[in-house]
Amino acid sequence: MGRTNKDKRDLYYRKAKEDGWRARSAYKLLQLDQQFHLLSDISRVVDLCAAPGSWSQVLSSKLASRNNSKIIAVDLQPMTPIAGVTTLQADITHPQTLQQIRDHFEGELADFVCSDGAPDVTGMNDLDEYVQHQLVYAALQLTCCILKPGGSFVAKIFRGRDIDVMYAMMSRFFDRVVCAKPRSSRSTSLEAFIVCLGYRPIEGLTPRLDLNLSTDEFFARAGIRGGGVFGGADEVWEEDDGCERCMVEFVACGDLDDVDSDATYRLDDNAVRLEPVQRPTAPPYKLALDKKRKGELAKR
Ligand code: SAM
């Protein structure tokens, strides 16, 4: 019974294995879609930071019957193939990755870009939030270069102290920006998703990625200064002076009768532990495990 412990503690983890999803994150995208109808009427999608691939599985199942649909999934880690999805092992912060995505879309723009990206966490909240947000800004940069006007963008964020800088940044590019918390995301976690609808390219700006241009410089060219203080925008945010902060709508999504991600459930007495749908192909801890197996990690 001990082997079913994680299944009980996290019913989404258990359910993902029963439903054939590679990760429990699938339910986050499904609940976001239920609320915002992100995946209706779209055919070209970029799934950033996609491994092991549960979001790509959701995208593939939703777009399967549509003509000429194209899904490209990008991650630093290799991904086991998914029907209808082109996988690309690459760094989303590198300009070459954008070129590879463009080549795949043969010059057409994407309808939807999503990023569930997360760097390795250190446990130091401020540092983790900073690094996470740099990844979201990199995803936004790439999105500005590939998303069609009116298109949507969703990214995982951590709602830390400086999250309004992120809200303000997104509000410059999109008609509607919402902070959404799917029921499958633990309420004890700072994780949420920024849902950006109605992409509005900045007039006169042809966004391009350049290895020699930092994220700050990229946004500065769009008239947005680092730190979130804008010239000429409605939303003004200034550091530490207690004045106006950029706020966005907050929406909790998923049905109330969906599983509660913070509760422990009683499984059927005959429940057996299910194997994961897809084991990680090249997890960062693989080297350590190999060494442990060979006795090379023995304590002195
Ligand atoms: N959405 C995925 C799913 O449903 O299976 C889960 C994504 S997982 C939480 C976060 C992923 O972000 C990891 O696979 C990691 O390799 C990827 N990642 C982090 N930084 C990246 C980067 N710079 N470029 C590409 N992928 C990155």
Side-chain angles (χ1 to χ4, degrees):
M1 198 60 188
R3 301 195 78 200
T4 58
N5 266 357
K6 184 160 183 200
D7 289 1
K8 284 198 292 182
R9 265 189 288 118
D10 183 345
L11 215 63
Y12 280 105
Y13 172 79
R14 167 89 192 181
K15 216 166 122 53
K17 292 189 286 183
E18 288 173 356
D19 294 348
W21 302 120
R22 291 181 181 186
R24 68 190 295 295
S25 344
Y27 299 104
K28 298 175 191 169
L29 183 58
L30 287 166
Q31 290 168 350
L32 289 168
D33 181 44
Q34 194 184 349
Q35 180 74 35
F36 298 100
H37 311 292
L38 300 161
L39 309 182
S40 316
D41 305 323
I42 58 168
S43 53
R44 283 179 305 280
V45 180
V46 186
D47 183 6
L48 299 174
C49 304
S54 75
W55 280 29
S56 291
Q57 284 180 292
V58 171
L59 294 165
S60 157
S61 69
K62 295 272 180 183
L63 272 67
S65 59
R66 292 181 205 160
N67 281 342
N68 307 321
S69 70
K70 280 188 178 177
I71 304 167
I72 185 160
V74 187
D75 202 287
L76 290 171
Q77 305 292 329
M79 274 172 71
T80 307
I82 297 171
V85 178
T86 301
T87 56
L88 177 63
Q89 187 177 358
D91 184 344
I92 68 157
T93 66
H94 199 288
Q96 257 174 19
T97 305
L98 170 66
Q99 193 49 50
Q100 285 171 289
I101 298 171
R102 278 196 172 132
D103 292 347
H104 180 64
F105 285 156
E106 297 174 299
E108 293 202 85
L109 295 172
D111 302 306
F112 177 56
V113 181
C114 54
S115 171
D116 187 26
D120 292 338
V121 288
T122 65
M124 288 181 273
N125 287 349
D126 283 352
L127 180 62
D128 288 341
E129 186 195 346
Y130 174 79
V131 178
Q132 169 71 21
H133 286 182
Q134 287 307 308
L135 195 60
V136 178
Y137 289 137
L140 174 65
Q141 262 185 292
L142 190 145
T143 299
C144 290
C145 301
I146 193 76
L147 188 64
K148 72 170 192 193
S152 317
F153 171 62
V154 166
K156 176 169 36 212
I157 53 170
F158 288 130
R159 283 169 305 153
R161 213 166 39 127
D162 295 328
I163 191 61
D164 40 358
V165 176
M166 171 82 66
Y167 295 155
M169 179 79 92
M170 298 294 173
S171 304
R172 281 299 292 268
F173 291 98
F174 291 89
D175 290 337
R176 184 178 170 210
V177 177
V178 181
C179 173
K181 181 80 175 171
R183 205 163 152 75
S184 48
S185 171
R186 291 187 191 89
S187 53
T188 45
S189 143
L190 285 180
E191 177 190 85
F193 292 84
I194 193 154
V195 178
C196 305
L197 307 171
Y199 176 49
R200 224 179 326 107
I202 291 192
E203 231 170 274
L205 176 82
T206 310
R208 65 180 174 85
L209 298 191
D210 184 336
L211 257 191
N212 300 315
L213 216 58
S214 69
T215 322
D216 276 354
E217 286 164 328
F218 175 92
F219 290 114
R221 289 175 64 232
I224 300 172
R225 280 201 283 131
V229 186
F230 305 146
D234 291 336
E235 346 49 37
V236 177
W237 184 85
E238 285 167 23
E239 259 177 75
D240 292 336
D241 63 0
C243 77
E244 226 177 312
R245 313 277 293 187
C246 181
M247 306 286 281
V248 297
E249 272 174 82
F250 179 87
V251 173
C253 45
D255 286 336
L256 278 181
D257 51 4
D258 276 347
V259 172
D260 177 351
S261 52
D262 291 295
T264 298
Y265 286 82
R266 184 183 160 74
L267 289 183
D268 186 335
D269 286 344
N270 303 320
V272 288
R273 182 172 171 272
L274 300 173
E275 287 303 316
V277 172
Q278 179 65 56
R279 290 197 174 281
T281 42
Y285 51 82
K286 191 167 181 289
L287 181 66
L289 284 179
D290 283 348
K291 284 193 165 180
K292 192 174 174 194
R293 220 166 283 132
K294 290 180 197 153
E296 291 169 13
L297 276 190
K299 279 186 193 159
R300 283 167 201 270

Short mmCIF file of all heavy atoms in Angstrom, two decimals, residues 96-125:
data_model
loop_
_atom_site.label_atom_id
_atom_site.label_comp_id
_atom_site.label_asym_id
_atom_site.label_seq_id
_atom_site.Cartn_x
_atom_site.Cartn_y
_atom_site.Cartn_z
N GLN A 96 18.19 31.27 -32.41
CA GLN A 96 18.09 30.20 -33.42
C GLN A 96 16.81 29.38 -33.26
O GLN A 96 16.25 28.86 -34.21
CB GLN A 96 19.27 29.26 -33.27
CG GLN A 96 20.32 29.48 -34.33
CD GLN A 96 21.55 28.62 -34.05
OE1 GLN A 96 21.48 27.64 -33.31
NE2 GLN A 96 22.66 29.01 -34.64
N THR A 97 16.34 29.29 -32.00
CA THR A 97 15.13 28.50 -31.73
C THR A 97 13.93 29.16 -32.43
O THR A 97 13.10 28.49 -33.04
CB THR A 97 14.90 28.41 -30.21
OG1 THR A 97 16.08 27.89 -29.63
CG2 THR A 97 13.72 27.54 -29.86
N LEU A 98 13.88 30.50 -32.36
CA LEU A 98 12.80 31.23 -33.04
C LEU A 98 12.83 30.93 -34.53
O LEU A 98 11.80 30.68 -35.16
CB LEU A 98 12.95 32.74 -32.79
CG LEU A 98 12.05 33.62 -33.63
CD1 LEU A 98 10.58 33.42 -33.27
CD2 LEU A 98 12.41 35.10 -33.46
N GLN A 99 14.04 30.93 -35.11
CA GLN A 99 14.16 30.67 -36.55
C GLN A 99 13.64 29.27 -36.89
O GLN A 99 12.94 29.08 -37.88
CB GLN A 99 15.62 30.85 -36.99
CG GLN A 99 15.79 30.92 -38.49
CD GLN A 99 14.82 31.91 -39.16
OE1 GLN A 99 14.71 33.05 -38.74
NE2 GLN A 99 14.07 31.46 -40.17
N GLN A 100 13.96 28.31 -36.02
CA GLN A 100 13.51 26.93 -36.29
C GLN A 100 11.97 26.84 -36.23
O GLN A 100 11.36 26.13 -37.01
CB GLN A 100 14.16 25.97 -35.29
CG GLN A 100 15.63 25.72 -35.64
CD GLN A 100 16.34 24.95 -34.55
OE1 GLN A 100 16.60 25.46 -33.47
NE2 GLN A 100 16.65 23.70 -34.83
N ILE A 101 11.39 27.60 -35.30
CA ILE A 101 9.91 27.60 -35.20
C ILE A 101 9.32 28.24 -36.46
O ILE A 101 8.37 27.73 -37.06
CB ILE A 101 9.45 28.35 -33.93
CG1 ILE A 101 9.97 27.66 -32.68
CG2 ILE A 101 7.93 28.46 -33.88
CD1 ILE A 101 9.75 28.43 -31.38
N ARG A 102 9.93 29.36 -36.88
CA ARG A 102 9.45 30.05 -38.10
C ARG A 102 9.52 29.13 -39.30
O ARG A 102 8.61 29.08 -40.11
CB ARG A 102 10.33 31.28 -38.35
CG ARG A 102 9.90 32.45 -37.51
CD ARG A 102 10.52 33.71 -38.09
NE ARG A 102 10.00 34.88 -37.45
CZ ARG A 102 10.75 35.87 -36.98
NH1 ARG A 102 12.05 35.82 -37.07
NH2 ARG A 102 10.18 36.91 -36.43
N ASP A 103 10.64 28.41 -39.42
CA ASP A 103 10.80 27.49 -40.55
C ASP A 103 9.67 26.47 -40.53
O ASP A 103 9.10 26.15 -41.57
CB ASP A 103 12.15 26.75 -40.48
CG ASP A 103 13.32 27.71 -40.72
OD1 ASP A 103 13.06 28.85 -41.17
OD2 ASP A 103 14.47 27.33 -40.42
N HIS A 104 9.33 25.99 -39.33
CA HIS A 104 8.30 24.98 -39.22
C HIS A 104 6.94 25.53 -39.67
O HIS A 104 6.15 24.83 -40.29
CB HIS A 104 8.23 24.48 -37.78
CG HIS A 104 7.20 23.42 -37.56
ND1 HIS A 104 7.27 22.19 -38.17
CD2 HIS A 104 6.04 23.42 -36.85
CE1 HIS A 104 6.22 21.47 -37.83
NE2 HIS A 104 5.45 22.20 -37.03
N PHE A 105 6.67 26.79 -39.35
CA PHE A 105 5.39 27.40 -39.73
C PHE A 105 5.40 27.98 -41.15
O PHE A 105 4.42 28.59 -41.58
CB PHE A 105 5.00 28.50 -38.73
CG PHE A 105 4.50 27.99 -37.40
CD1 PHE A 105 4.56 28.77 -36.26
CD2 PHE A 105 3.94 26.72 -37.29
CE1 PHE A 105 4.09 28.31 -35.04
CE2 PHE A 105 3.47 26.25 -36.07
CZ PHE A 105 3.55 27.05 -34.95
N GLU A 106 6.53 27.82 -41.83
CA GLU A 106 6.68 28.27 -43.23
C GLU A 106 6.18 29.71 -43.41
O GLU A 106 5.38 30.01 -44.30
CB GLU A 106 5.93 27.33 -44.17
CG GLU A 106 6.52 25.93 -44.13
CD GLU A 106 5.73 24.92 -44.94
OE1 GLU A 106 4.56 24.70 -44.63
OE2 GLU A 106 6.31 24.38 -45.89
N GLY A 107 6.64 30.57 -42.52
CA GLY A 107 6.34 32.00 -42.67
C GLY A 107 5.02 32.43 -42.05
O GLY A 107 4.76 33.63 -41.91
N GLU A 108 4.17 31.48 -41.66
CA GLU A 108 2.88 31.88 -41.05
C GLU A 108 3.09 32.14 -39.55
O GLU A 108 4.06 31.66 -38.95
CB GLU A 108 1.86 30.78 -41.25
CG GLU A 108 1.51 30.63 -42.73
CD GLU A 108 0.18 29.96 -42.91
OE1 GLU A 108 -0.84 30.65 -42.87
OE2 GLU A 108 0.20 28.73 -43.08
N LEU A 109 2.14 32.88 -38.96
CA LEU A 109 2.27 33.21 -37.54
C LEU A 109 1.47 32.22 -36.69
O LEU A 109 0.57 31.54 -37.20
CB LEU A 109 1.78 34.64 -37.30
CG LEU A 109 2.61 35.74 -37.97
CD1 LEU A 109 1.95 37.11 -37.83
CD2 LEU A 109 4.04 35.78 -37.40
N ALA A 110 1.79 32.17 -35.41
CA ALA A 110 1.10 31.24 -34.51
C ALA A 110 -0.19 31.87 -33.99
O ALA A 110 -0.30 33.10 -33.86
CB ALA A 110 2.01 30.90 -33.34
N ASP A 111 -1.18 31.02 -33.66
CA ASP A 111 -2.43 31.50 -33.07
C ASP A 111 -2.33 31.54 -31.54
O ASP A 111 -3.03 32.29 -30.88
CB ASP A 111 -3.59 30.54 -33.41
CG ASP A 111 -3.76 30.38 -34.92
OD1 ASP A 111 -3.90 31.40 -35.59
OD2 ASP A 111 -3.73 29.23 -35.40
N PHE A 112 -1.47 30.67 -31.02
CA PHE A 112 -1.41 30.51 -29.56
C PHE A 112 0.00 30.08 -29.17
O PHE A 112 0.58 29.20 -29.81
CB PHE A 112 -2.43 29.44 -29.14
CG PHE A 112 -2.44 29.10 -27.68
CD1 PHE A 112 -2.63 30.09 -26.72
CD2 PHE A 112 -2.28 27.78 -27.25
CE1 PHE A 112 -2.66 29.77 -25.36
CE2 PHE A 112 -2.32 27.45 -25.90
CZ PHE A 112 -2.51 28.45 -24.96
N VAL A 113 0.56 30.72 -28.15
CA VAL A 113 1.86 30.30 -27.60
C VAL A 113 1.66 30.05 -26.11
O VAL A 113 1.03 30.87 -25.42
CB VAL A 113 2.95 31.37 -27.79
CG1 VAL A 113 4.29 30.89 -27.23
CG2 VAL A 113 3.11 31.76 -29.26
N CYS A 114 2.16 28.92 -25.62
CA CYS A 114 2.06 28.69 -24.17
C CYS A 114 3.43 28.28 -23.64
O CYS A 114 4.26 27.76 -24.37
CB CYS A 114 1.02 27.62 -23.87
SG CYS A 114 1.23 26.07 -24.73
N SER A 115 3.63 28.57 -22.37
CA SER A 115 4.89 28.21 -21.73
C SER A 115 4.62 27.79 -20.29
O SER A 115 4.13 28.58 -19.49
CB SER A 115 5.86 29.39 -21.74
OG SER A 115 6.97 29.06 -20.92
N ASP A 116 4.92 26.54 -20.01
CA ASP A 116 4.78 26.03 -18.64
C ASP A 116 6.18 25.89 -18.04
O ASP A 116 6.43 25.08 -17.17
CB ASP A 116 4.07 24.66 -18.72
CG ASP A 116 3.70 24.09 -17.37
OD1 ASP A 116 3.51 24.89 -16.42
OD2 ASP A 116 3.60 22.86 -17.25
N GLY A 117 7.08 26.72 -18.54
CA GLY A 117 8.49 26.59 -18.21
C GLY A 117 8.81 26.84 -16.76
O GLY A 117 8.18 27.65 -16.10
N ALA A 118 9.79 26.09 -16.28
CA ALA A 118 10.25 26.29 -14.92
C ALA A 118 11.72 25.93 -14.87
O ALA A 118 12.10 24.84 -15.30
CB ALA A 118 9.47 25.40 -13.97
N PRO A 119 12.55 26.84 -14.39
CA PRO A 119 13.96 26.47 -14.20
C PRO A 119 14.07 25.63 -12.94
O PRO A 119 13.10 25.52 -12.18
CB PRO A 119 14.65 27.84 -14.02
CG PRO A 119 13.57 28.79 -13.65
CD PRO A 119 12.24 28.20 -13.98
N ASP A 120 15.23 25.03 -12.70
CA ASP A 120 15.40 24.26 -11.45
C ASP A 120 15.27 25.21 -10.28
O ASP A 120 15.90 26.27 -10.27
CB ASP A 120 16.79 23.60 -11.44
CG ASP A 120 16.86 22.51 -12.50
OD1 ASP A 120 15.80 22.03 -12.91
OD2 ASP A 120 17.99 22.18 -12.91
N VAL A 121 14.43 24.86 -9.29
CA VAL A 121 14.24 25.78 -8.16
C VAL A 121 15.32 25.57 -7.10
O VAL A 121 15.83 24.48 -6.93
CB VAL A 121 12.84 25.66 -7.52
CG1 VAL A 121 11.78 26.24 -8.42
CG2 VAL A 121 12.53 24.23 -7.16
N THR A 122 15.64 26.67 -6.40
CA THR A 122 16.70 26.61 -5.37
C THR A 122 16.09 26.57 -3.97
O THR A 122 16.77 26.25 -3.01
CB THR A 122 17.57 27.87 -5.44
OG1 THR A 122 16.75 28.99 -5.09
CG2 THR A 122 18.17 28.06 -6.80
N GLY A 123 14.81 26.95 -3.86
CA GLY A 123 14.19 27.06 -2.54
C GLY A 123 14.32 28.48 -1.99
O GLY A 123 13.70 28.82 -0.99
N MET A 124 15.15 29.32 -2.65
CA MET A 124 15.24 30.73 -2.22
C MET A 124 14.19 31.48 -3.05
O MET A 124 14.37 31.68 -4.26
CB MET A 124 16.63 31.29 -2.49
CG MET A 124 17.65 30.72 -1.52
SD MET A 124 19.28 31.39 -1.82
CE MET A 124 19.89 30.30 -3.04
N ASN A 125 13.09 31.85 -2.39
CA ASN A 125 11.91 32.34 -3.12
C ASN A 125 12.20 33.49 -4.06
O ASN A 125 11.75 33.49 -5.20
CB ASN A 125 10.79 32.73 -2.15
CG ASN A 125 10.15 31.50 -1.56
OD1 ASN A 125 10.41 30.39 -2.03
ND2 ASN A 125 9.37 31.67 -0.51
#
